[in-house]
Amino acid sequence: MATAKKATKKTTSKKPAKKAPARKPAKKAAPKKAPAKKPAKKVAAKKPAAKRKPNAAFMKAMTPSAELAAVVGEKALPRTEVTKKLWEYIKKNKLQDSVNKRNINADDKLKPVFGGKRQVSMFEMTKLVSAHLK
């Protein structure tokens, strides 16, 4: 009987429904603290870093092909020097693409070195030039 009275009370009183308060997001567990570290042991003094030695493969003098010799010269050079001389030639003759600086536009001397391509990327250039070194 008591339940029937409660039910009738609820139906007779019409109040606007209250919205439940917005729930707060669940709290994350606090990050665990790292266990206390023991004092660091004394480390022996490090030796000063040795000067870096150049890779022998890069320093080996290589003879350029006739097409490449027209750009970098006839005498044998290491790969690093060939690349430097090639970039000097490119900068001097303004062969770097003005829009995309990574591309090199070939002129009459560079076209045979680049395999007949009109334009190559600087990364592709090193691959193509290596075919012209013996």
Side-chain angles (χ1 to χ4, degrees):
M1 228 171 162
T3 56
K5 286 184 181 178
K6 284 184 184 176
T8 54
K9 282 185 181 178
K10 283 184 181 177
T11 54
T12 55
S13 62
K14 290 192 176 184
K15 293 182 182 176
K18 289 185 180 178
K19 290 185 180 179
R23 290 186 179 180
K24 293 180 182 176
K27 289 185 180 179
K28 292 182 181 177
K32 293 182 181 179
K33 293 182 181 177
K37 292 183 179 179
K38 295 179 183 177
K41 295 178 183 178
K42 290 185 180 179
V43 180
K46 283 188 175 182
K47 296 177 188 175
K51 192 171 181 182
R52 192 169 165 204
K53 295 178 184 176
N55 189 341
F58 285 121
M59 301 315 288
K60 180 183 173 190
M62 302 189 80
T63 310
S65 67
E67 295 91 8
L68 187 58
V71 179
V72 296
E74 299 269 334
K75 69 178 188 178
L77 295 166
R79 286 177 188 271
T80 54
E81 290 299 316
V82 170
T83 306
K84 283 182 187 177
K85 291 210 181 240
L86 206 54
W87 272 108
E88 284 175 20
Y89 180 83
I90 290 166
K91 298 271 185 180
K92 185 178 108 185
N93 294 310
K94 298 178 182 172
L95 297 174
Q96 206 168 0
D97 192 44
S98 59
V99 177
N100 188 351
K101 299 280 187 184
R102 289 178 292 184
N103 289 338
I104 290 104
N105 300 317
D107 64 353
D108 294 334
K109 284 186 179 179
L110 283 179
K111 236 178 196 173
V113 176
F114 292 165
K117 293 183 179 180
R118 190 177 56 81
Q119 189 178 56
V120 296
S121 73
M122 62 174 62
F123 306 109
E124 188 181 2
M125 176 188 75
T126 54
K127 182 177 88 172
L128 294 169
V129 167
S130 67
H132 289 274
L133 294 171
K134 296 175 192 171

